[in-house]
mmCIF file of all heavy atoms in Angstrom:
data_model
loop_
_atom_site.group_PDB
_atom_site.id
_atom_site.type_symbol
_atom_site.label_atom_id
_atom_site.label_comp_id
_atom_site.label_asym_id
_atom_site.label_seq_id
_atom_site.Cartn_x
_atom_site.Cartn_y
_atom_site.Cartn_z
ATOM 1 N N VAL Q 903 -135.284 -97.798 -70.484
ATOM 2 C CA VAL Q 903 -134.808 -98.182 -69.124
ATOM 3 C C VAL Q 903 -135.588 -97.283 -68.166
ATOM 4 O O VAL Q 903 -135.357 -96.051 -68.080
ATOM 5 C CB VAL Q 903 -133.315 -97.957 -68.996
ATOM 6 C CG1 VAL Q 903 -132.841 -98.503 -67.633
ATOM 7 C CG2 VAL Q 903 -132.538 -98.531 -70.111
ATOM 8 N N GLY Q 904 -136.494 -97.884 -67.392
ATOM 9 C CA GLY Q 904 -137.237 -97.128 -66.397
ATOM 10 C C GLY Q 904 -138.699 -96.985 -66.792
ATOM 11 O O GLY Q 904 -138.984 -96.646 -67.953
ATOM 12 N N ALA Q 905 -139.614 -97.304 -65.860
ATOM 13 C CA ALA Q 905 -141.054 -97.257 -66.173
ATOM 14 C C ALA Q 905 -141.784 -96.165 -65.379
ATOM 15 O O ALA Q 905 -142.843 -96.377 -64.832
ATOM 16 C CB ALA Q 905 -141.681 -98.637 -65.893
ATOM 17 N N GLY Q 906 -141.122 -94.969 -65.358
ATOM 18 C CA GLY Q 906 -141.836 -93.833 -64.810
ATOM 19 C C GLY Q 906 -142.620 -93.172 -65.973
ATOM 20 O O GLY Q 906 -142.702 -93.763 -67.072
ATOM 21 N N PRO Q 907 -143.228 -91.991 -65.744
ATOM 22 C CA PRO Q 907 -143.976 -91.373 -66.816
ATOM 23 C C PRO Q 907 -143.186 -91.170 -68.079
ATOM 24 O O PRO Q 907 -143.722 -91.380 -69.223
ATOM 25 C CB PRO Q 907 -144.471 -90.036 -66.281
ATOM 26 C CG PRO Q 907 -143.791 -89.942 -64.894
ATOM 27 C CD PRO Q 907 -143.294 -91.253 -64.494
ATOM 28 N N ALA Q 908 -141.884 -90.877 -68.004
ATOM 29 C CA ALA Q 908 -141.104 -90.579 -69.195
ATOM 30 C C ALA Q 908 -141.022 -91.934 -70.019
ATOM 31 O O ALA Q 908 -141.229 -91.933 -71.232
ATOM 32 C CB ALA Q 908 -139.688 -90.092 -68.871
ATOM 33 N N ILE Q 928 -137.381 -101.962 -69.274
ATOM 34 C CA ILE Q 928 -136.689 -102.603 -68.162
ATOM 35 C C ILE Q 928 -136.822 -101.797 -66.917
ATOM 36 O O ILE Q 928 -136.491 -100.621 -66.905
ATOM 37 C CB ILE Q 928 -135.208 -102.842 -68.534
ATOM 38 C CG1 ILE Q 928 -135.059 -103.566 -69.857
ATOM 39 C CG2 ILE Q 928 -134.489 -103.572 -67.449
ATOM 40 C CD1 ILE Q 928 -133.632 -103.743 -70.331
ATOM 41 N N GLU Q 929 -137.394 -102.345 -65.879
ATOM 42 C CA GLU Q 929 -137.674 -101.615 -64.670
ATOM 43 C C GLU Q 929 -137.138 -102.336 -63.452
ATOM 44 O O GLU Q 929 -137.413 -103.513 -63.249
ATOM 45 C CB GLU Q 929 -139.210 -101.443 -64.555
ATOM 46 C CG GLU Q 929 -139.740 -100.904 -63.257
ATOM 47 C CD GLU Q 929 -139.114 -99.632 -62.762
ATOM 48 O OE1 GLU Q 929 -139.158 -98.642 -63.504
ATOM 49 O OE2 GLU Q 929 -138.600 -99.602 -61.631
ATOM 50 N N LYS Q 930 -136.353 -101.578 -62.619
ATOM 51 C CA LYS Q 930 -135.756 -102.292 -61.452
ATOM 52 C C LYS Q 930 -136.783 -102.606 -60.326
ATOM 53 O O LYS Q 930 -136.539 -103.396 -59.475
ATOM 54 C CB LYS Q 930 -134.578 -101.521 -60.937
ATOM 55 C CG LYS Q 930 -134.857 -100.242 -60.251
ATOM 56 C CD LYS Q 930 -133.561 -99.655 -59.708
ATOM 57 C CE LYS Q 930 -133.751 -98.288 -59.104
ATOM 58 N NZ LYS Q 930 -132.513 -97.637 -58.682
ATOM 59 N N ILE Q 956 -140.668 -95.063 -54.789
ATOM 60 C CA ILE Q 956 -140.223 -94.341 -55.988
ATOM 61 C C ILE Q 956 -139.835 -95.257 -57.183
ATOM 62 O O ILE Q 956 -139.552 -94.750 -58.241
ATOM 63 C CB ILE Q 956 -139.048 -93.366 -55.679
ATOM 64 C CG1 ILE Q 956 -137.873 -94.057 -54.942
ATOM 65 C CG2 ILE Q 956 -139.520 -92.177 -54.860
ATOM 66 C CD1 ILE Q 956 -136.621 -93.213 -54.773
ATOM 67 N N SER Q 957 -139.858 -96.562 -56.935
ATOM 68 C CA SER Q 957 -139.443 -97.485 -58.044
ATOM 69 C C SER Q 957 -140.581 -98.429 -58.370
ATOM 70 O O SER Q 957 -141.326 -98.849 -57.458
ATOM 71 C CB SER Q 957 -138.247 -98.313 -57.604
ATOM 72 O OG SER Q 957 -137.122 -97.531 -57.656
ATOM 73 N N GLY Q 958 -140.645 -98.847 -59.614
ATOM 74 C CA GLY Q 958 -141.683 -99.770 -60.065
ATOM 75 C C GLY Q 958 -142.551 -99.111 -61.135
ATOM 76 O O GLY Q 958 -142.287 -97.960 -61.484
ATOM 77 N N GLY Q 961 -143.059 -95.307 -61.709
ATOM 78 C CA GLY Q 961 -141.894 -94.535 -61.206
ATOM 79 C C GLY Q 961 -142.236 -93.782 -59.913
ATOM 80 O O GLY Q 961 -143.106 -94.187 -59.139
ATOM 81 N N ALA Q 962 -141.527 -92.647 -59.737
ATOM 82 C CA ALA Q 962 -141.717 -91.866 -58.551
ATOM 83 C C ALA Q 962 -143.136 -91.328 -58.462
ATOM 84 O O ALA Q 962 -143.615 -90.918 -57.459
ATOM 85 C CB ALA Q 962 -140.719 -90.697 -58.506
ATOM 86 N N GLY Q 963 -143.805 -91.245 -59.637
ATOM 87 C CA GLY Q 963 -145.139 -90.622 -59.729
ATOM 88 C C GLY Q 963 -146.249 -91.537 -59.223
ATOM 89 O O GLY Q 963 -147.368 -91.069 -59.044
ATOM 90 N N SER Q 966 -147.682 -90.553 -56.105
ATOM 91 C CA SER Q 966 -147.742 -89.135 -55.993
ATOM 92 C C SER Q 966 -149.157 -88.652 -56.011
ATOM 93 O O SER Q 966 -150.113 -89.387 -56.300
ATOM 94 C CB SER Q 966 -146.974 -88.489 -57.146
ATOM 95 O OG SER Q 966 -147.825 -88.208 -58.225
ATOM 96 N N ASP Q 967 -149.235 -87.381 -55.682
ATOM 97 C CA ASP Q 967 -150.518 -86.702 -55.612
ATOM 98 C C ASP Q 967 -151.137 -86.542 -57.028
ATOM 99 O O ASP Q 967 -152.308 -86.217 -57.180
ATOM 100 C CB ASP Q 967 -150.215 -85.372 -54.986
ATOM 101 C CG ASP Q 967 -151.461 -84.611 -54.702
ATOM 102 O OD1 ASP Q 967 -152.432 -85.244 -54.359
ATOM 103 O OD2 ASP Q 967 -151.459 -83.363 -54.813
ATOM 104 N N GLY Q 968 -150.342 -86.766 -58.026
ATOM 105 C CA GLY Q 968 -150.841 -86.715 -59.388
ATOM 106 C C GLY Q 968 -151.294 -85.337 -59.819
ATOM 107 O O GLY Q 968 -152.362 -85.213 -60.402
ATOM 108 N N LYS Q 969 -150.527 -84.364 -59.568
ATOM 109 C CA LYS Q 969 -150.903 -82.996 -60.002
ATOM 110 C C LYS Q 969 -150.187 -82.768 -61.341
ATOM 111 O O LYS Q 969 -148.951 -82.784 -61.413
ATOM 112 C CB LYS Q 969 -150.439 -81.942 -59.021
ATOM 113 C CG LYS Q 969 -151.345 -81.795 -57.847
ATOM 114 C CD LYS Q 969 -151.111 -80.537 -57.039
ATOM 115 C CE LYS Q 969 -149.760 -80.442 -56.428
ATOM 116 N NZ LYS Q 969 -149.535 -81.249 -55.233
ATOM 117 N N SER Q 1067 -135.566 -105.841 -62.786
ATOM 118 C CA SER Q 1067 -134.304 -105.962 -63.559
ATOM 119 C C SER Q 1067 -133.681 -104.568 -63.605
ATOM 120 O O SER Q 1067 -134.351 -103.610 -64.061
ATOM 121 C CB SER Q 1067 -134.670 -106.365 -65.010
ATOM 122 O OG SER Q 1067 -135.382 -107.591 -65.010
ATOM 123 N N GLU Q 1068 -132.453 -104.526 -63.253
ATOM 124 C CA GLU Q 1068 -131.750 -103.255 -63.184
ATOM 125 C C GLU Q 1068 -130.672 -103.192 -64.298
ATOM 126 O O GLU Q 1068 -129.849 -104.093 -64.362
ATOM 127 C CB GLU Q 1068 -131.132 -103.085 -61.831
ATOM 128 C CG GLU Q 1068 -130.453 -101.742 -61.625
ATOM 129 C CD GLU Q 1068 -129.990 -101.534 -60.205
ATOM 130 O OE1 GLU Q 1068 -130.451 -102.264 -59.274
ATOM 131 O OE2 GLU Q 1068 -129.169 -100.625 -59.983
ATOM 132 N N VAL Q 1069 -130.698 -102.124 -65.072
ATOM 133 C CA VAL Q 1069 -129.672 -101.991 -66.089
ATOM 134 C C VAL Q 1069 -128.439 -101.418 -65.415
ATOM 135 O O VAL Q 1069 -128.482 -100.472 -64.672
ATOM 136 C CB VAL Q 1069 -130.135 -101.024 -67.201
ATOM 137 C CG1 VAL Q 1069 -129.015 -100.587 -68.143
ATOM 138 C CG2 VAL Q 1069 -131.272 -101.689 -68.016
ATOM 139 N N ALA Q 1098 -134.593 -93.568 -69.065
ATOM 140 C CA ALA Q 1098 -135.674 -92.856 -68.378
ATOM 141 C C ALA Q 1098 -135.701 -93.246 -66.910
ATOM 142 O O ALA Q 1098 -136.732 -93.695 -66.409
ATOM 143 C CB ALA Q 1098 -136.993 -93.170 -69.091
ATOM 144 N N VAL Q 1099 -134.561 -93.109 -66.259
ATOM 145 C CA VAL Q 1099 -134.407 -93.735 -64.920
ATOM 146 C C VAL Q 1099 -134.828 -92.849 -63.741
ATOM 147 O O VAL Q 1099 -134.756 -93.320 -62.616
ATOM 148 C CB VAL Q 1099 -132.951 -94.187 -64.723
ATOM 149 C CG1 VAL Q 1099 -132.640 -95.310 -65.693
ATOM 150 C CG2 VAL Q 1099 -131.964 -93.079 -64.945
ATOM 151 N N GLY Q 1100 -135.254 -91.626 -63.968
ATOM 152 C CA GLY Q 1100 -135.722 -90.835 -62.891
ATOM 153 C C GLY Q 1100 -134.654 -90.429 -61.900
ATOM 154 O O GLY Q 1100 -133.463 -90.705 -62.134
ATOM 155 N N ARG Q 1101 -135.076 -89.805 -60.818
ATOM 156 C CA ARG Q 1101 -134.070 -89.348 -59.852
ATOM 157 C C ARG Q 1101 -133.443 -90.515 -59.123
ATOM 158 O O ARG Q 1101 -132.285 -90.461 -58.692
ATOM 159 C CB ARG Q 1101 -134.686 -88.397 -58.804
ATOM 160 C CG ARG Q 1101 -135.021 -87.042 -59.371
ATOM 161 C CD ARG Q 1101 -135.026 -85.961 -58.296
ATOM 162 N NE ARG Q 1101 -135.864 -86.319 -57.187
ATOM 163 C CZ ARG Q 1101 -137.170 -85.921 -57.098
ATOM 164 N NH1 ARG Q 1101 -137.672 -85.213 -58.065
ATOM 165 N NH2 ARG Q 1101 -137.849 -86.180 -56.081
ATOM 166 N N SER Q 1102 -134.171 -91.656 -58.957
ATOM 167 C CA SER Q 1102 -133.576 -92.769 -58.298
ATOM 168 C C SER Q 1102 -132.483 -93.401 -59.147
ATOM 169 O O SER Q 1102 -131.652 -94.197 -58.639
ATOM 170 C CB SER Q 1102 -134.662 -93.839 -57.955
ATOM 171 O OG SER Q 1102 -135.248 -94.289 -59.123
ATOM 172 N N GLY Q 1103 -132.399 -93.034 -60.392
ATOM 173 C CA GLY Q 1103 -131.375 -93.565 -61.285
ATOM 174 C C GLY Q 1103 -130.304 -92.496 -61.524
ATOM 175 O O GLY Q 1103 -129.435 -92.671 -62.448
ATOM 176 N N ASP Q 1106 -126.835 -93.749 -61.632
ATOM 177 C CA ASP Q 1106 -126.572 -94.533 -62.861
ATOM 178 C C ASP Q 1106 -126.189 -93.605 -63.983
ATOM 179 O O ASP Q 1106 -125.282 -93.835 -64.733
ATOM 180 C CB ASP Q 1106 -127.767 -95.351 -63.249
ATOM 181 C CG ASP Q 1106 -128.118 -96.441 -62.228
ATOM 182 O OD1 ASP Q 1106 -127.186 -96.919 -61.626
ATOM 183 O OD2 ASP Q 1106 -129.289 -96.778 -62.087
ATOM 184 N N TRP Q 1110 -122.899 -93.526 -66.216
ATOM 185 C CA TRP Q 1110 -122.871 -93.742 -67.658
ATOM 186 C C TRP Q 1110 -122.313 -92.564 -68.416
ATOM 187 O O TRP Q 1110 -121.574 -92.710 -69.364
ATOM 188 C CB TRP Q 1110 -124.313 -94.112 -68.137
ATOM 189 C CG TRP Q 1110 -124.877 -95.353 -67.533
ATOM 190 C CD1 TRP Q 1110 -124.161 -96.401 -67.110
ATOM 191 C CD2 TRP Q 1110 -126.239 -95.658 -67.263
ATOM 192 N NE1 TRP Q 1110 -124.973 -97.367 -66.573
ATOM 193 C CE2 TRP Q 1110 -126.278 -96.938 -66.685
ATOM 194 C CE3 TRP Q 1110 -127.441 -95.002 -67.438
ATOM 195 C CZ2 TRP Q 1110 -127.426 -97.591 -66.245
ATOM 196 C CZ3 TRP Q 1110 -128.613 -95.636 -67.065
ATOM 197 C CH2 TRP Q 1110 -128.619 -96.897 -66.500
ATOM 198 N N GLU Q 1173 -139.176 -89.946 -47.628
ATOM 199 C CA GLU Q 1173 -138.795 -90.492 -48.950
ATOM 200 C C GLU Q 1173 -137.343 -91.082 -48.823
ATOM 201 O O GLU Q 1173 -136.536 -90.442 -48.138
ATOM 202 C CB GLU Q 1173 -138.762 -89.295 -49.924
ATOM 203 C CG GLU Q 1173 -138.648 -89.703 -51.378
ATOM 204 C CD GLU Q 1173 -138.849 -88.480 -52.265
ATOM 205 O OE1 GLU Q 1173 -139.948 -87.908 -52.282
ATOM 206 O OE2 GLU Q 1173 -137.880 -88.074 -52.948
ATOM 207 N N ASN Q 1182 -141.130 -85.326 -47.882
ATOM 208 C CA ASN Q 1182 -141.944 -84.913 -48.994
ATOM 209 C C ASN Q 1182 -143.377 -84.814 -48.525
ATOM 210 O O ASN Q 1182 -143.619 -84.901 -47.292
ATOM 211 C CB ASN Q 1182 -141.832 -86.020 -50.127
ATOM 212 C CG ASN Q 1182 -142.033 -85.450 -51.504
ATOM 213 O OD1 ASN Q 1182 -142.838 -84.561 -51.716
ATOM 214 N ND2 ASN Q 1182 -141.252 -85.935 -52.471
ATOM 215 N N GLY Q 1327 -136.597 -87.310 -69.049
ATOM 216 C CA GLY Q 1327 -137.178 -87.256 -67.726
ATOM 217 C C GLY Q 1327 -136.253 -86.720 -66.638
ATOM 218 O O GLY Q 1327 -135.221 -86.079 -66.934
ATOM 219 N N ASP Q 1328 -136.651 -87.014 -65.393
ATOM 220 C CA ASP Q 1328 -135.895 -86.451 -64.249
ATOM 221 C C ASP Q 1328 -134.466 -86.974 -64.170
ATOM 222 O O ASP Q 1328 -133.564 -86.308 -63.707
ATOM 223 C CB ASP Q 1328 -136.611 -86.810 -62.915
ATOM 224 C CG ASP Q 1328 -137.927 -86.084 -62.765
ATOM 225 O OD1 ASP Q 1328 -138.468 -85.606 -63.764
ATOM 226 O OD2 ASP Q 1328 -138.425 -85.959 -61.635
ATOM 227 N N ARG Q 1334 -138.744 -82.124 -63.963
ATOM 228 C CA ARG Q 1334 -138.956 -82.246 -62.482
ATOM 229 C C ARG Q 1334 -140.409 -82.475 -62.130
ATOM 230 O O ARG Q 1334 -140.860 -82.004 -61.125
ATOM 231 C CB ARG Q 1334 -138.501 -80.960 -61.799
ATOM 232 C CG ARG Q 1334 -136.976 -80.798 -61.711
ATOM 233 C CD ARG Q 1334 -136.414 -81.813 -60.800
ATOM 234 N NE ARG Q 1334 -136.782 -81.545 -59.402
ATOM 235 C CZ ARG Q 1334 -136.123 -80.709 -58.679
ATOM 236 N NH1 ARG Q 1334 -135.082 -80.048 -59.115
ATOM 237 N NH2 ARG Q 1334 -136.521 -80.481 -57.422
ATOM 238 N N GLY Q 1335 -141.122 -83.087 -62.995
ATOM 239 C CA GLY Q 1335 -142.544 -83.277 -62.717
ATOM 240 C C GLY Q 1335 -143.170 -84.197 -63.713
ATOM 241 O O GLY Q 1335 -142.540 -84.556 -64.729
ATOM 242 N N LEU Q 1336 -144.378 -84.689 -63.398
ATOM 243 C CA LEU Q 1336 -145.032 -85.701 -64.205
ATOM 244 C C LEU Q 1336 -145.254 -85.227 -65.654
ATOM 245 O O LEU Q 1336 -145.015 -85.944 -66.585
ATOM 246 C CB LEU Q 1336 -146.411 -86.031 -63.612
ATOM 247 C CG LEU Q 1336 -146.398 -86.551 -62.174
ATOM 248 C CD1 LEU Q 1336 -147.826 -86.655 -61.634
ATOM 249 C CD2 LEU Q 1336 -145.734 -87.947 -62.155
ATOM 250 N N ALA Q 1339 -142.081 -84.766 -67.728
ATOM 251 C CA ALA Q 1339 -141.424 -86.089 -67.907
ATOM 252 C C ALA Q 1339 -142.184 -86.854 -69.015
ATOM 253 O O ALA Q 1339 -141.589 -87.437 -69.913
ATOM 254 C CB ALA Q 1339 -141.390 -86.870 -66.571
HETATM 255 C C1 LIG M 843 -143.879 -88.409 -53.261
HETATM 256 C C2 LIG M 843 -143.814 -87.715 -54.574
HETATM 257 C C3 LIG M 843 -144.825 -86.879 -54.997
HETATM 258 C C4 LIG M 843 -144.778 -86.234 -56.230
HETATM 259 N N1 LIG M 843 -145.841 -85.505 -56.643
HETATM 260 C C5 LIG M 843 -145.830 -84.934 -57.883
HETATM 261 C C6 LIG M 843 -146.961 -84.234 -58.358
HETATM 262 O O1 LIG M 843 -148.014 -84.176 -57.752
HETATM 263 N N2 LIG M 843 -146.849 -83.680 -59.634
HETATM 264 C C7 LIG M 843 -145.761 -83.759 -60.372
HETATM 265 O O2 LIG M 843 -145.747 -83.220 -61.500
HETATM 266 N N3 LIG M 843 -144.688 -84.461 -59.936
HETATM 267 C C8 LIG M 843 -144.688 -85.070 -58.737
HETATM 268 N N4 LIG M 843 -143.596 -85.770 -58.308
HETATM 269 C C9 LIG M 843 -142.421 -85.872 -59.198
HETATM 270 C C10 LIG M 843 -142.696 -86.908 -60.294
HETATM 271 O O3 LIG M 843 -143.107 -88.079 -59.746
HETATM 272 C C11 LIG M 843 -141.474 -87.085 -61.107
HETATM 273 O O4 LIG M 843 -141.039 -85.840 -61.626
HETATM 274 C C12 LIG M 843 -141.672 -88.024 -62.263
HETATM 275 O O5 LIG M 843 -142.124 -89.265 -61.838
HETATM 276 C C13 LIG M 843 -140.399 -88.238 -63.103
HETATM 277 O O6 LIG M 843 -140.621 -89.140 -64.123
HETATM 278 P P1 LIG M 843 -139.441 -90.056 -64.750
HETATM 279 O O7 LIG M 843 -140.124 -91.008 -65.627
HETATM 280 O O8 LIG M 843 -138.401 -89.141 -65.282
HETATM 281 O O9 LIG M 843 -138.771 -90.818 -63.511
HETATM 282 P P2 LIG M 843 -139.369 -91.738 -62.408
HETATM 283 O O10 LIG M 843 -140.769 -91.536 -62.203
HETATM 284 O O11 LIG M 843 -138.487 -91.559 -61.207
HETATM 285 O O12 LIG M 843 -139.188 -93.181 -62.966
HETATM 286 C C14 LIG M 843 -137.917 -93.812 -63.188
HETATM 287 C C15 LIG M 843 -138.035 -95.303 -63.068
HETATM 288 O O13 LIG M 843 -136.788 -95.869 -63.487
HETATM 289 C C16 LIG M 843 -136.437 -96.932 -62.643
HETATM 290 N N5 LIG M 843 -134.994 -97.138 -62.648
HETATM 291 C C17 LIG M 843 -134.026 -96.319 -62.100
HETATM 292 N N6 LIG M 843 -132.760 -96.776 -62.359
HETATM 293 C C18 LIG M 843 -132.949 -97.922 -63.126
HETATM 294 C C19 LIG M 843 -132.048 -98.848 -63.700
HETATM 295 N N7 LIG M 843 -130.727 -98.710 -63.598
HETATM 296 N N8 LIG M 843 -132.570 -99.950 -64.349
HETATM 297 C C20 LIG M 843 -133.922 -100.095 -64.436
HETATM 298 N N9 LIG M 843 -134.821 -99.236 -63.923
HETATM 299 C C21 LIG M 843 -134.358 -98.162 -63.284
HETATM 300 C C22 LIG M 843 -136.966 -96.562 -61.286
HETATM 301 O O14 LIG M 843 -137.220 -97.680 -60.485
HETATM 302 C C23 LIG M 843 -138.253 -95.774 -61.664
HETATM 303 O O15 LIG M 843 -139.381 -96.613 -61.586
HETATM 304 C C24 LIG M 843 -143.644 -86.426 -57.085
HETATM 305 C C25 LIG M 843 -142.601 -87.253 -56.628
HETATM 306 C C26 LIG M 843 -142.652 -87.912 -55.406
HETATM 307 C C27 LIG M 843 -141.530 -88.811 -54.993
#
Side-chain angles (χ1 to χ4, degrees):
V903 188
I928 305 176
E929 167 54 55
K930 71 176 174 184
I956 52 172
S957 285
S966 92
D967 187 33
K969 282 195 295 284
S1067 303
E1068 183 172 344
V1069 168
V1099 293
R1101 287 207 305 269
S1102 61
D1106 294 329
W1110 298 333
E1173 193 173 294
N1182 210 321
D1328 290 20
R1334 284 293 291 277
L1336 301 171

